[in-house]
Amino acid sequence: MVKEPSILIYKGHPDRFKTQVAPVFEFDNIETYMEIPFEFYLELPEEEKAFIEGFNKYIDGDIKGCRRELAKAASKIPEAKYMLAVVNFIIGKKREAQLLMADFKPEWKRFIQTWRVPVIVVPFTTDNRALYISIDETGLQAFYYILEGKTPEDVAFLLGL
C-alpha cells in the first residue's frame, strides 16, 4: 500500500502546532472551512476572496478549482503562495512546488487571523508514523528537504525530531 502525503487543517493558533513526528491518524478537514461573514467578504480585495475560495475548495476536494483560485492570489498573499506550493506537492507536482518556494518569505497573518493551520502529513515508509510539517521555522526547513527528495525519515533525523 502506497502512503500518500496529505494536508491536515488544524483549527487553532499556529503556535500550538509544531512540526513533529507522530503516529498516522485518520482525519477529516470538513470542520475547518475558512468562514468570513458575507458583508465583510463583499468588501475584500479580489486576491483575498481568491485565497479564501482556494482554501475552502481544497477542503471540498476540488483540487483543480483550489489551484486556480490560489494561483490568482499567490503573487500578493504569502499564505496563498504557500498553500499553492503545498497542494502542488500533494498532487505530485514537486517542481512547481519548488519554484513557488524558491523565494518564499513566510508571513502568516491570515492563518493567525482565521486560526486555520495547514499541516503537511508525509507518512514514513518504514512504520505507521508520519512527519507533520507545520508553518513554524522547522516546518519550512522540513518542506524544503522534502521538496529536495529526502524521505520523511531522513528529514526527521536531520532536524532532530
Side-chain angles (χ1 to χ4, degrees):
M1 178 177 117
V2 176
K3 302 175 193 176
E4 297 294 325
S6 56
I7 305 171
L8 170 56
I9 309 293
Y10 279 108
K11 281 173 101 168
H13 195 279
D15 288 345
R16 293 183 49 207
F17 306 105
K18 300 294 182 200
T19 297
Q20 61 184 295
V21 172
V24 173
F25 60 91
E26 293 295 316
F27 56 87
D28 184 351
N29 285 325
I30 203 71
E31 296 295 322
T32 56
Y33 286 104
M34 212 174 272
E35 297 159 3
I36 306 293
F38 188 67
E39 320 74 64
F40 182 64
Y41 182 82
L42 292 175
E43 302 296 318
L44 288 175
E46 289 306 311
E47 66 269 12
E48 295 284 350
K49 290 178 184 174
F51 169 63
I52 294 164
E53 288 296 314
F55 190 92
N56 288 343
K57 283 181 184 294
Y58 173 78
I59 293 169
D60 284 338
D62 178 2
I63 299 301
K64 187 176 180 183
C66 164
R67 290 177 70 225
R68 181 182 59 246
E69 293 301 319
L70 291 173
K72 291 178 190 175
S75 66
K76 294 183 178 168
I77 298 176
E79 292 92 341
K81 187 175 189 177
Y82 180 77
M83 278 297 292
L84 183 57
V86 170
V87 170
N88 280 331
F89 164 70
I90 295 298
I91 64 171
K93 295 184 177 293
K94 195 187 309 186
R95 185 73 187 125
E96 285 90 334
Q98 286 174 317
L99 291 171
L100 285 162
M101 293 301 292
D103 62 347
F104 184 72
K105 305 277 186 288
E107 183 184 307
W108 307 120
K109 70 179 182 185
R110 286 165 191 84
F111 288 151
I112 291 167
Q113 288 168 350
T114 61
W115 288 48
R116 300 296 186 276
V117 182
V119 175
I120 310 165
V121 182
V122 188
F124 281 17
T125 55
T126 53
D127 59 33
N128 197 33
R129 293 181 301 159
L131 179 62
Y132 288 79
I133 302 173
S134 191
I135 59 174
D136 55 12
E137 195 173 309
T138 303
L140 285 176
Q141 186 59 57
F143 192 34
Y144 290 127
Y145 281 149
I146 290 290
L147 291 175
E148 288 173 2
K150 291 186 175 26
T151 67
E153 291 90 338
D154 288 344
V155 173
F157 176 77
L158 287 168
L159 296 176
L161 300 173

